[in-house]
Amino acid sequence: MIKAVRGTRDLLPPETALWNFVEAAVRDVFRAYNFQEIRTPIFEATELFARGVGEETDIVAKEMYTWEDGERATLGLVRAWRQTNPGAIPYTPSTGLVIHRYDPDFVAKLKEATVVIDAKSRPTTAALEQLSSYAQFLREHIPDHLIRPILAFPDRANVPNAVQTEAQRLGVELERLDYEPSKSLTLRPENTAGVVRAYIEHKLWDRGLNKLYYIGPQFRRERPQKGRYRQFYQIGAEVIGPASAGSESPARDAEVLEMLATLLDRLGITDWNLELNSVGTPADRAQFNDALRKALEPVKEKMCDDCQRRAVTNPLRVFDCKVPEDQPIIETLPRITQFLGEESRKHFEAVQDILTKVGVRFSLNDRLVRGLDYYTRTAFEFTHGALGAQNAILGGGRYDGLSEALGGPAAPGIGFAIGEDRLVMSLKETAEGVLRKPDVYVAPMAGMNGEAARLARELRQHDVVVELGDDGFRLKKSFEAATKAGAKYILIVGENEVKADAFSLKNLATGEQVSVPRAELARRIQG
Ligand code: AMP
């Protein structure tokens, strides 16, 4: 038996009714706040997430579903290579010679082994490092060969200075070849980067302030557990635009937070807790990072491997650490609040003032840094006690520099993503409770399928929910089917009824049965 892949699941009826209930309610709320829907593709260029979410985040470093799109690109590379280097045979990892099907006999026949790999659209230091480790692998396996690592890239790409220097250091040659590079693609692990990419691509700044929302699946290769899946669903929104359209105003932060409070309350999830922090501007954070690095220097050895790495590369991420032994050390570290500049502090206070005015309760949490690099200033999470270990129901914050990081114009923004799976888990409603059962079961007598279908069609046009039976069923079976479907009434369609243009309608709960003229049926059933 083929089963759904670990970390993914089928959502079946009646549970899907709860999902529809949630989605209908949030669409109503979004409408009231004048948000409009955006749908972006489920996969994007890997680079979007690397640059948008941050290389050093758990999501990008460990959790993405990424693949190389374009075997043909590799063949193109080989062809281009042969044209400029007749007689030489390139190894390319994706043609399988080196990595997938390492063939010592084949390699032994060669005097000089050239490893050439596709640098994708642009040579990067990451590609250099990958190539250099392939070369190392070959040197270990065929020590008597000269290994010549070459990083190929298509002729239109330019080479950043840092890459040239790094290539020299690693002893890698860079070579321009005319071919179509393969592309690294990734299933979206979150949707903000995609929305901001769309903002830039379609020049949405022309529209002033954009208030966009999305509902859809996201993908992360995390360890599956209750409330944590590898395909999960997010409901999110983004407010983004030029500063002149008011995108930077604390009024927008407060409006988004108030909307979320309203949304949760409307869904009957009233025991939420809003945790709020400011992670400052990049300038504030630079100072904070310096202080963190200094504070971590003497203690990092005692911390987990991830934290040791983070302490050097991106110390802020230390606050994401969940290892219990590291927590006492993390408790002693400096906090971002001590490093907020005047502007960040004022902005943060303004957000809190508005929240207090509109009566949205919150608590401050100066450890809250969120798992994505792009956040600036306001950062927040809503938690819900009933969820257990995975208690964050939604998270978000400001990302004023994200558009620029992705090559767009300055476009301050704020957004959030609600975990829809967890939202559904937090509901007090049951699927049975929100499911709309059939109002009526139409039971045709022998030979009456056509008449029954005509009647069902009329009723459905009046928004009656109809389950249509089959004239092959005996009356007893029709009654059983009607009860199983949870129908309120059963309506019998026989020859006499059609002639009289009046039908016997039986209430399945009370047993009461009346004859109702055709024209009055819909009103009677709904009444
Ligand atoms: P993030 O994009 O990491 O800020 O997550 C926002 C929200 O999405 C979280 O608060 C969770 O409710 C939800 N979420 C994140 N990852 C998962 C997952 N693997 N499974 C289910 N929900 C998730």
Side-chain angles (χ1 to χ4, degrees), residues 59 189-190 220 222 227-234 370-372 374-375 381-382 392-396 417-423:
I59 295 179
E190 58 91 61
R220 296 182 195 172
E222 294 186 89
R228 203 203 268 157
Y229 307 97
R230 289 179 166 180
Q231 172 171 339
F232 60 100
Y233 295 80
Q234 284 187 336
R370 313 267 310 118
L372 303 90
Y374 51 60
Y375 287 112
E381 252 172 35
F382 280 71
I393 199 162
L394 71 93
I418 309 175
E420 191 177 358
D421 307 71
R422 296 184 195 171
L423 194 62

PDB file of all heavy atoms in Angstrom, residues 59 189-190 220 222 227-234 370-372 374-375 381-382 392-396 417-423, ligand 1:
ATOM      1  N   ILE A  59      15.329  27.285   8.616  1.00  0.00           N
ATOM      2  CA  ILE A  59      14.512  26.980   7.433  1.00  0.00           C
ATOM      3  C   ILE A  59      15.406  26.779   6.214  1.00  0.00           C
ATOM      4  O   ILE A  59      15.318  25.763   5.528  1.00  0.00           O
ATOM      5  CB  ILE A  59      13.492  28.115   7.161  1.00  0.00           C
ATOM      6  CG1 ILE A  59      12.482  28.199   8.304  1.00  0.00           C
ATOM      7  CG2 ILE A  59      12.798  27.914   5.828  1.00  0.00           C
ATOM      8  CD1 ILE A  59      11.461  29.307   8.142  1.00  0.00           C
ATOM      9  N   PRO A 189       8.898  27.562   1.676  1.00  0.00           N
ATOM     10  CA  PRO A 189       8.780  27.232   3.099  1.00  0.00           C
ATOM     11  C   PRO A 189       7.974  28.298   3.838  1.00  0.00           C
ATOM     12  O   PRO A 189       7.620  28.115   4.998  1.00  0.00           O
ATOM     13  CB  PRO A 189      10.226  27.240   3.577  1.00  0.00           C
ATOM     14  CG  PRO A 189      10.915  28.209   2.674  1.00  0.00           C
ATOM     15  CD  PRO A 189      10.193  28.186   1.350  1.00  0.00           C
ATOM     16  N   GLU A 190       7.716  29.399   3.174  1.00  0.00           N
ATOM     17  CA  GLU A 190       6.924  30.487   3.732  1.00  0.00           C
ATOM     18  C   GLU A 190       6.536  31.354   2.545  1.00  0.00           C
ATOM     19  O   GLU A 190       7.024  31.142   1.436  1.00  0.00           O
ATOM     20  CB  GLU A 190       7.714  31.261   4.792  1.00  0.00           C
ATOM     21  CG  GLU A 190       9.018  31.871   4.299  1.00  0.00           C
ATOM     22  CD  GLU A 190       8.824  33.274   3.797  1.00  0.00           C
ATOM     23  OE1 GLU A 190       8.405  34.110   4.597  1.00  0.00           O
ATOM     24  OE2 GLU A 190       9.074  33.548   2.597  1.00  0.00           O
ATOM     25  N   ARG A 220       8.227  22.438   4.819  1.00  0.00           N
ATOM     26  CA  ARG A 220       9.501  22.450   5.560  1.00  0.00           C
ATOM     27  C   ARG A 220       9.811  21.034   6.023  1.00  0.00           C
ATOM     28  O   ARG A 220       8.934  20.352   6.535  1.00  0.00           O
ATOM     29  CB  ARG A 220       9.403  23.348   6.811  1.00  0.00           C
ATOM     30  CG  ARG A 220       9.178  24.803   6.481  1.00  0.00           C
ATOM     31  CD  ARG A 220       9.125  25.655   7.733  1.00  0.00           C
ATOM     32  NE  ARG A 220       8.568  26.951   7.395  1.00  0.00           N
ATOM     33  CZ  ARG A 220       8.228  27.894   8.277  1.00  0.00           C
ATOM     34  NH1 ARG A 220       8.408  27.660   9.576  1.00  0.00           N
ATOM     35  NH2 ARG A 220       7.727  29.031   7.888  1.00  0.00           N
ATOM     36  N   GLU A 222      10.805  19.423   8.597  1.00  0.00           N
ATOM     37  CA  GLU A 222      11.027  19.424  10.046  1.00  0.00           C
ATOM     38  C   GLU A 222      10.677  18.049  10.569  1.00  0.00           C
ATOM     39  O   GLU A 222      10.025  17.277   9.889  1.00  0.00           O
ATOM     40  CB  GLU A 222      10.109  20.444  10.717  1.00  0.00           C
ATOM     41  CG  GLU A 222      10.422  21.873  10.353  1.00  0.00           C
ATOM     42  CD  GLU A 222       9.589  22.849  11.162  1.00  0.00           C
ATOM     43  OE1 GLU A 222      10.046  23.222  12.244  1.00  0.00           O
ATOM     44  OE2 GLU A 222       8.494  23.222  10.723  1.00  0.00           O
ATOM     45  N   GLY A 227       0.983  18.857  15.513  1.00  0.00           N
ATOM     46  CA  GLY A 227       1.018  20.299  15.261  1.00  0.00           C
ATOM     47  C   GLY A 227       2.191  20.744  14.417  1.00  0.00           C
ATOM     48  O   GLY A 227       2.389  21.924  14.170  1.00  0.00           O
ATOM     49  N   ARG A 228       3.017  19.778  13.966  1.00  0.00           N
ATOM     50  CA  ARG A 228       4.124  20.152  13.080  1.00  0.00           C
ATOM     51  C   ARG A 228       4.188  19.194  11.902  1.00  0.00           C
ATOM     52  O   ARG A 228       4.363  17.992  12.078  1.00  0.00           O
ATOM     53  CB  ARG A 228       5.436  20.145  13.845  1.00  0.00           C
ATOM     54  CG  ARG A 228       6.461  21.043  13.170  1.00  0.00           C
ATOM     55  CD  ARG A 228       7.829  20.661  13.526  1.00  0.00           C
ATOM     56  NE  ARG A 228       8.321  21.392  14.673  1.00  0.00           N
ATOM     57  CZ  ARG A 228       9.301  20.932  15.435  1.00  0.00           C
ATOM     58  NH1 ARG A 228       9.848  19.781  15.178  1.00  0.00           N
ATOM     59  NH2 ARG A 228       9.725  21.648  16.443  1.00  0.00           N
ATOM     60  N   TYR A 229       4.015  19.723  10.716  1.00  0.00           N
ATOM     61  CA  TYR A 229       3.939  18.893   9.517  1.00  0.00           C
ATOM     62  C   TYR A 229       4.969  19.361   8.506  1.00  0.00           C
ATOM     63  O   TYR A 229       5.530  20.438   8.637  1.00  0.00           O
ATOM     64  CB  TYR A 229       2.528  18.979   8.921  1.00  0.00           C
ATOM     65  CG  TYR A 229       1.471  18.666   9.938  1.00  0.00           C
ATOM     66  CD1 TYR A 229       0.814  19.689  10.626  1.00  0.00           C
ATOM     67  CD2 TYR A 229       1.180  17.348  10.267  1.00  0.00           C
ATOM     68  CE1 TYR A 229      -0.121  19.401  11.599  1.00  0.00           C
ATOM     69  CE2 TYR A 229       0.249  17.051  11.236  1.00  0.00           C
ATOM     70  CZ  TYR A 229      -0.394  18.084  11.911  1.00  0.00           C
ATOM     71  OH  TYR A 229      -1.309  17.792  12.874  1.00  0.00           O
ATOM     72  N   ARG A 230       5.169  18.536   7.479  1.00  0.00           N
ATOM     73  CA  ARG A 230       6.117  18.925   6.434  1.00  0.00           C
ATOM     74  C   ARG A 230       5.403  19.657   5.300  1.00  0.00           C
ATOM     75  O   ARG A 230       5.996  20.450   4.598  1.00  0.00           O
ATOM     76  CB  ARG A 230       6.860  17.687   5.932  1.00  0.00           C
ATOM     77  CG  ARG A 230       7.817  17.209   7.010  1.00  0.00           C
ATOM     78  CD  ARG A 230       8.587  15.990   6.630  1.00  0.00           C
ATOM     79  NE  ARG A 230       9.694  15.803   7.563  1.00  0.00           N
ATOM     80  CZ  ARG A 230      10.549  14.822   7.496  1.00  0.00           C
ATOM     81  NH1 ARG A 230      10.456  13.919   6.532  1.00  0.00           N
ATOM     82  NH2 ARG A 230      11.517  14.732   8.362  1.00  0.00           N
ATOM     83  N   GLN A 231       4.139  19.340   5.118  1.00  0.00           N
ATOM     84  CA  GLN A 231       3.286  20.221   4.325  1.00  0.00           C
ATOM     85  C   GLN A 231       2.256  20.757   5.297  1.00  0.00           C
ATOM     86  O   GLN A 231       1.470  19.996   5.872  1.00  0.00           O
ATOM     87  CB  GLN A 231       2.577  19.479   3.189  1.00  0.00           C
ATOM     88  CG  GLN A 231       1.544  20.389   2.515  1.00  0.00           C
ATOM     89  CD  GLN A 231       0.935  19.817   1.252  1.00  0.00           C
ATOM     90  OE1 GLN A 231       1.486  18.936   0.612  1.00  0.00           O
ATOM     91  NE2 GLN A 231      -0.219  20.329   0.888  1.00  0.00           N
ATOM     92  N   PHE A 232       2.304  22.052   5.533  1.00  0.00           N
ATOM     93  CA  PHE A 232       1.334  22.653   6.438  1.00  0.00           C
ATOM     94  C   PHE A 232       0.747  23.862   5.724  1.00  0.00           C
ATOM     95  O   PHE A 232       1.187  24.231   4.640  1.00  0.00           O
ATOM     96  CB  PHE A 232       1.991  23.027   7.773  1.00  0.00           C
ATOM     97  CG  PHE A 232       3.124  24.005   7.641  1.00  0.00           C
ATOM     98  CD1 PHE A 232       2.927  25.354   7.910  1.00  0.00           C
ATOM     99  CD2 PHE A 232       4.380  23.584   7.238  1.00  0.00           C
ATOM    100  CE1 PHE A 232       3.968  26.264   7.775  1.00  0.00           C
ATOM    101  CE2 PHE A 232       5.418  24.489   7.095  1.00  0.00           C
ATOM    102  CZ  PHE A 232       5.217  25.829   7.368  1.00  0.00           C
ATOM    103  N   TYR A 233      -0.261  24.466   6.347  1.00  0.00           N
ATOM    104  CA  TYR A 233      -0.971  25.541   5.666  1.00  0.00           C
ATOM    105  C   TYR A 233      -0.842  26.839   6.437  1.00  0.00           C
ATOM    106  O   TYR A 233      -0.895  26.844   7.659  1.00  0.00           O
ATOM    107  CB  TYR A 233      -2.450  25.160   5.488  1.00  0.00           C
ATOM    108  CG  TYR A 233      -2.596  23.970   4.567  1.00  0.00           C
ATOM    109  CD1 TYR A 233      -2.376  22.680   5.041  1.00  0.00           C
ATOM    110  CD2 TYR A 233      -2.865  24.137   3.224  1.00  0.00           C
ATOM    111  CE1 TYR A 233      -2.454  21.589   4.190  1.00  0.00           C
ATOM    112  CE2 TYR A 233      -2.947  23.059   2.367  1.00  0.00           C
ATOM    113  CZ  TYR A 233      -2.741  21.779   2.853  1.00  0.00           C
ATOM    114  OH  TYR A 233      -2.800  20.708   2.002  1.00  0.00           O
ATOM    115  N   GLN A 234      -0.637  27.890   5.717  1.00  0.00           N
ATOM    116  CA  GLN A 234      -0.577  29.190   6.376  1.00  0.00           C
ATOM    117  C   GLN A 234      -1.604  30.143   5.785  1.00  0.00           C
ATOM    118  O   GLN A 234      -1.874  30.127   4.580  1.00  0.00           O
ATOM    119  CB  GLN A 234       0.818  29.808   6.238  1.00  0.00           C
ATOM    120  CG  GLN A 234       1.849  29.167   7.163  1.00  0.00           C
ATOM    121  CD  GLN A 234       3.187  29.876   7.150  1.00  0.00           C
ATOM    122  OE1 GLN A 234       3.538  30.556   6.185  1.00  0.00           O
ATOM    123  NE2 GLN A 234       3.952  29.723   8.218  1.00  0.00           N
ATOM    124  N   ARG A 370      12.226  35.638  16.421  1.00  0.00           N
ATOM    125  CA  ARG A 370      11.621  35.009  15.247  1.00  0.00           C
ATOM    126  C   ARG A 370      12.671  34.298  14.392  1.00  0.00           C
ATOM    127  O   ARG A 370      13.816  34.697  14.347  1.00  0.00           O
ATOM    128  CB  ARG A 370      10.848  36.010  14.396  1.00  0.00           C
ATOM    129  CG  ARG A 370       9.935  36.897  15.206  1.00  0.00           C
ATOM    130  CD  ARG A 370       8.528  36.359  15.326  1.00  0.00           C
ATOM    131  NE  ARG A 370       8.011  36.005  14.037  1.00  0.00           N
ATOM    132  CZ  ARG A 370       7.648  34.759  13.702  1.00  0.00           C
ATOM    133  NH1 ARG A 370       7.734  33.785  14.557  1.00  0.00           N
ATOM    134  NH2 ARG A 370       7.175  34.513  12.515  1.00  0.00           N
ATOM    135  N   GLY A 371      12.220  33.241  13.726  1.00  0.00           N
ATOM    136  CA  GLY A 371      13.169  32.377  13.035  1.00  0.00           C
ATOM    137  C   GLY A 371      13.586  32.826  11.640  1.00  0.00           C
ATOM    138  O   GLY A 371      14.203  32.078  10.909  1.00  0.00           O
ATOM    139  N   LEU A 372      13.235  34.032  11.237  1.00  0.00           N
ATOM    140  CA  LEU A 372      13.578  34.465   9.892  1.00  0.00           C
ATOM    141  C   LEU A 372      14.376  35.755   9.980  1.00  0.00           C
ATOM    142  O   LEU A 372      14.098  36.610  10.820  1.00  0.00           O
ATOM    143  CB  LEU A 372      12.302  34.680   9.056  1.00  0.00           C
ATOM    144  CG  LEU A 372      11.391  33.450   8.960  1.00  0.00           C
ATOM    145  CD1 LEU A 372      10.370  33.410  10.074  1.00  0.00           C
ATOM    146  CD2 LEU A 372      10.695  33.392   7.628  1.00  0.00           C
ATOM    147  N   TYR A 374      14.618  38.357   8.090  1.00  0.00           N
ATOM    148  CA  TYR A 374      14.218  39.633   7.507  1.00  0.00           C
ATOM    149  C   TYR A 374      13.514  40.596   8.455  1.00  0.00           C
ATOM    150  O   TYR A 374      13.241  41.718   8.109  1.00  0.00           O
ATOM    151  CB  TYR A 374      13.396  39.435   6.243  1.00  0.00           C
ATOM    152  CG  TYR A 374      12.212  38.490   6.296  1.00  0.00           C
ATOM    153  CD1 TYR A 374      11.152  38.699   7.164  1.00  0.00           C
ATOM    154  CD2 TYR A 374      12.149  37.409   5.417  1.00  0.00           C
ATOM    155  CE1 TYR A 374      10.064  37.844   7.179  1.00  0.00           C
ATOM    156  CE2 TYR A 374      11.063  36.546   5.421  1.00  0.00           C
ATOM    157  CZ  TYR A 374      10.026  36.770   6.299  1.00  0.00           C
ATOM    158  OH  TYR A 374       8.954  35.929   6.305  1.00  0.00           O
ATOM    159  N   TYR A 375      13.207  40.141   9.661  1.00  0.00           N
ATOM    160  CA  TYR A 375      12.421  41.011  10.534  1.00  0.00           C
ATOM    161  C   TYR A 375      13.193  42.244  11.033  1.00  0.00           C
ATOM    162  O   TYR A 375      14.379  42.174  11.311  1.00  0.00           O
ATOM    163  CB  TYR A 375      11.862  40.229  11.719  1.00  0.00           C
ATOM    164  CG  TYR A 375      10.749  39.320  11.289  1.00  0.00           C
ATOM    165  CD1 TYR A 375      10.886  37.945  11.306  1.00  0.00           C
ATOM    166  CD2 TYR A 375       9.560  39.858  10.814  1.00  0.00           C
ATOM    167  CE1 TYR A 375       9.871  37.113  10.880  1.00  0.00           C
ATOM    168  CE2 TYR A 375       8.530  39.038  10.380  1.00  0.00           C
ATOM    169  CZ  TYR A 375       8.695  37.660  10.419  1.00  0.00           C
ATOM    170  OH  TYR A 375       7.692  36.851   9.987  1.00  0.00           O
ATOM    171  N   GLU A 381       4.292  37.217  18.234  1.00  0.00           N
ATOM    172  CA  GLU A 381       3.752  35.863  18.137  1.00  0.00           C
ATOM    173  C   GLU A 381       2.477  35.800  18.953  1.00  0.00           C
ATOM    174  O   GLU A 381       2.379  36.455  19.988  1.00  0.00           O
ATOM    175  CB  GLU A 381       4.754  34.850  18.713  1.00  0.00           C
ATOM    176  CG  GLU A 381       5.422  34.018  17.651  1.00  0.00           C
ATOM    177  CD  GLU A 381       6.561  33.144  18.156  1.00  0.00           C
ATOM    178  OE1 GLU A 381       6.476  32.642  19.288  1.00  0.00           O
ATOM    179  OE2 GLU A 381       7.522  32.987  17.396  1.00  0.00           O
ATOM    180  N   PHE A 382       1.501  35.059  18.481  1.00  0.00           N
ATOM    181  CA  PHE A 382       0.323  34.755  19.292  1.00  0.00           C
ATOM    182  C   PHE A 382       0.458  33.296  19.696  1.00  0.00           C
ATOM    183  O   PHE A 382       0.679  32.439  18.840  1.00  0.00           O
ATOM    184  CB  PHE A 382      -0.970  34.920  18.492  1.00  0.00           C
ATOM    185  CG  PHE A 382      -1.456  36.344  18.342  1.00  0.00           C
ATOM    186  CD1 PHE A 382      -0.778  37.240  17.538  1.00  0.00           C
ATOM    187  CD2 PHE A 382      -2.609  36.774  18.997  1.00  0.00           C
ATOM    188  CE1 PHE A 382      -1.229  38.539  17.383  1.00  0.00           C
ATOM    189  CE2 PHE A 382      -3.072  38.073  18.845  1.00  0.00           C
ATOM    190  CZ  PHE A 382      -2.380  38.965  18.041  1.00  0.00           C
ATOM    191  N   ALA A 392       2.827  28.136  19.301  1.00  0.00           N
ATOM    192  CA  ALA A 392       2.716  29.363  18.500  1.00  0.00           C
ATOM    193  C   ALA A 392       1.669  29.148  17.411  1.00  0.00           C
ATOM    194  O   ALA A 392       1.797  28.256  16.585  1.00  0.00           O
ATOM    195  CB  ALA A 392       4.051  29.711  17.874  1.00  0.00           C
ATOM    196  N   ILE A 393       0.657  29.970  17.462  1.00  0.00           N
ATOM    197  CA  ILE A 393      -0.413  29.811  16.478  1.00  0.00           C
ATOM    198  C   ILE A 393      -0.132  30.686  15.260  1.00  0.00           C
ATOM    199  O   ILE A 393      -0.535  30.386  14.143  1.00  0.00           O
ATOM    200  CB  ILE A 393      -1.768  30.135  17.134  1.00  0.00           C
ATOM    201  CG1 ILE A 393      -2.915  29.561  16.361  1.00  0.00           C
ATOM    202  CG2 ILE A 393      -1.982  31.586  17.353  1.00  0.00           C
ATOM    203  CD1 ILE A 393      -4.177  29.486  17.201  1.00  0.00           C
ATOM    204  N   LEU A 394       0.607  31.767  15.493  1.00  0.00           N
ATOM    205  CA  LEU A 394       0.968  32.638  14.378  1.00  0.00           C
ATOM    206  C   LEU A 394       2.154  33.501  14.775  1.00  0.00           C
ATOM    207  O   LEU A 394       2.411  33.720  15.963  1.00  0.00           O
ATOM    208  CB  LEU A 394      -0.212  33.518  13.968  1.00  0.00           C
ATOM    209  CG  LEU A 394      -0.636  34.651  14.908  1.00  0.00           C
ATOM    210  CD1 LEU A 394       0.048  35.956  14.543  1.00  0.00           C
ATOM    211  CD2 LEU A 394      -2.133  34.838  14.838  1.00  0.00           C
ATOM    212  N   GLY A 395       2.848  33.987  13.767  1.00  0.00           N
ATOM    213  CA  GLY A 395       3.980  34.853  14.040  1.00  0.00           C
ATOM    214  C   GLY A 395       4.144  35.857  12.924  1.00  0.00           C
ATOM    215  O   GLY A 395       3.638  35.652  11.814  1.00  0.00           O
ATOM    216  N   GLY A 396       4.825  36.952  13.226  1.00  0.00           N
ATOM    217  CA  GLY A 396       5.040  37.932  12.170  1.00  0.00           C
ATOM    218  C   GLY A 396       5.867  39.096  12.648  1.00  0.00           C
ATOM    219  O   GLY A 396       6.417  39.077  13.746  1.00  0.00           O
ATOM    220  N   ALA A 417       2.038  35.220   9.539  1.00  0.00           N
ATOM    221  CA  ALA A 417       1.546  33.949   9.005  1.00  0.00           C
ATOM    222  C   ALA A 417       0.924  33.164  10.152  1.00  0.00           C
ATOM    223  O   ALA A 417       1.557  32.959  11.189  1.00  0.00           O
ATOM    224  CB  ALA A 417       2.683  33.162   8.376  1.00  0.00           C
ATOM    225  N   ILE A 418      -0.316  32.775   9.941  1.00  0.00           N
ATOM    226  CA  ILE A 418      -1.019  31.945  10.927  1.00  0.00           C
ATOM    227  C   ILE A 418      -0.844  30.499  10.494  1.00  0.00           C
ATOM    228  O   ILE A 418      -0.983  30.188   9.316  1.00  0.00           O
ATOM    229  CB  ILE A 418      -2.539  32.243  10.926  1.00  0.00           C
ATOM    230  CG1 ILE A 418      -2.809  33.743  11.038  1.00  0.00           C
ATOM    231  CG2 ILE A 418      -3.243  31.464  12.023  1.00  0.00           C
ATOM    232  CD1 ILE A 418      -4.288  34.107  10.929  1.00  0.00           C
ATOM    233  N   GLY A 419      -0.528  29.614  11.437  1.00  0.00           N
ATOM    234  CA  GLY A 419      -0.497  28.188  11.123  1.00  0.00           C
ATOM    235  C   GLY A 419      -1.942  27.694  11.089  1.00  0.00           C
ATOM    236  O   GLY A 419      -2.580  27.592  12.126  1.00  0.00           O
ATOM    237  N   GLU A 420      -2.442  27.411   9.878  1.00  0.00           N
ATOM    238  CA  GLU A 420      -3.860  27.053   9.777  1.00  0.00           C
ATOM    239  C   GLU A 420      -4.147  25.712  10.452  1.00  0.00           C
ATOM    240  O   GLU A 420      -5.189  25.530  11.074  1.00  0.00           O
ATOM    241  CB  GLU A 420      -4.306  27.013   8.301  1.00  0.00           C
ATOM    242  CG  GLU A 420      -5.819  26.912   8.165  1.00  0.00           C
ATOM    243  CD  GLU A 420      -6.313  26.953   6.713  1.00  0.00           C
ATOM    244  OE1 GLU A 420      -5.494  27.102   5.789  1.00  0.00           O
ATOM    245  OE2 GLU A 420      -7.533  26.821   6.517  1.00  0.00           O
ATOM    246  N   ASP A 421      -3.170  24.785  10.360  1.00  0.00           N
ATOM    247  CA  ASP A 421      -3.347  23.480  11.012  1.00  0.00           C
ATOM    248  C   ASP A 421      -3.595  23.675  12.508  1.00  0.00           C
ATOM    249  O   ASP A 421      -4.450  23.033  13.101  1.00  0.00           O
ATOM    250  CB  ASP A 421      -2.095  22.614  10.824  1.00  0.00           C
ATOM    251  CG  ASP A 421      -1.683  22.497   9.368  1.00  0.00           C
ATOM    252  OD1 ASP A 421      -1.194  23.501   8.803  1.00  0.00           O
ATOM    253  OD2 ASP A 421      -1.857  21.424   8.787  1.00  0.00           O
ATOM    254  N   ARG A 422      -2.793  24.590  13.098  1.00  0.00           N
ATOM    255  CA  ARG A 422      -2.913  24.824  14.545  1.00  0.00           C
ATOM    256  C   ARG A 422      -4.155  25.631  14.870  1.00  0.00           C
ATOM    257  O   ARG A 422      -4.764  25.448  15.926  1.00  0.00           O
ATOM    258  CB  ARG A 422      -1.672  25.543  15.066  1.00  0.00           C
ATOM    259  CG  ARG A 422      -0.453  24.658  14.901  1.00  0.00           C
ATOM    260  CD  ARG A 422       0.779  25.284  15.497  1.00  0.00           C
ATOM    261  NE  ARG A 422       1.954  24.578  14.999  1.00  0.00           N
ATOM    262  CZ  ARG A 422       3.180  24.973  15.197  1.00  0.00           C
ATOM    263  NH1 ARG A 422       3.414  26.073  15.879  1.00  0.00           N
ATOM    264  NH2 ARG A 422       4.194  24.274  14.708  1.00  0.00           N
ATOM    265  N   LEU A 423      -4.535  26.515  13.967  1.00  0.00           N
ATOM    266  CA  LEU A 423      -5.751  27.298  14.163  1.00  0.00           C
ATOM    267  C   LEU A 423      -6.956  26.357  14.234  1.00  0.00           C
ATOM    268  O   LEU A 423      -7.801  26.464  15.116  1.00  0.00           O
ATOM    269  CB  LEU A 423      -5.903  28.276  12.987  1.00  0.00           C
ATOM    270  CG  LEU A 423      -6.904  29.410  13.128  1.00  0.00           C
ATOM    271  CD1 LEU A 423      -6.513  30.315  14.287  1.00  0.00           C
ATOM    272  CD2 LEU A 423      -6.966  30.229  11.849  1.00  0.00           C
TER     273      LEU A 423
HETATM  274  P1  AMP B   1       6.800  31.023  10.733  1.00  0.00           P
HETATM  275  O1  AMP B   1       6.604  31.144   9.242  1.00  0.00           O
HETATM  276  O2  AMP B   1       7.893  30.075  11.107  1.00  0.00           O
HETATM  277  O3  AMP B   1       6.835  32.325  11.416  1.00  0.00           O
HETATM  278  O4  AMP B   1       5.499  30.286  11.273  1.00  0.00           O
HETATM  279  C1  AMP B   1       4.261  30.912  11.391  1.00  0.00           C
HETATM  280  C2  AMP B   1       3.266  29.920  11.921  1.00  0.00           C
HETATM  281  O5  AMP B   1       3.125  28.820  11.020  1.00  0.00           O
HETATM  282  C3  AMP B   1       3.677  29.268  13.221  1.00  0.00           C
HETATM  283  O6  AMP B   1       3.294  30.056  14.313  1.00  0.00           O
HETATM  284  C4  AMP B   1       2.923  27.954  13.183  1.00  0.00           C
HETATM  285  O7  AMP B   1       1.611  28.123  13.644  1.00  0.00           O
HETATM  286  C5  AMP B   1       2.894  27.627  11.725  1.00  0.00           C
HETATM  287  N1  AMP B   1       3.913  26.625  11.381  1.00  0.00           N
HETATM  288  C6  AMP B   1       5.222  26.816  11.134  1.00  0.00           C
HETATM  289  N2  AMP B   1       5.836  25.655  10.833  1.00  0.00           N
HETATM  290  C7  AMP B   1       4.882  24.694  10.896  1.00  0.00           C
HETATM  291  C8  AMP B   1       4.852  23.272  10.679  1.00  0.00           C
HETATM  292  N3  AMP B   1       5.948  22.612  10.322  1.00  0.00           N
HETATM  293  N4  AMP B   1       3.676  22.616  10.846  1.00  0.00           N
HETATM  294  C9  AMP B   1       2.545  23.279  11.197  1.00  0.00           C
HETATM  295  N5  AMP B   1       2.507  24.606  11.396  1.00  0.00           N
HETATM  296  C10 AMP B   1       3.650  25.314  11.255  1.00  0.00           C
END
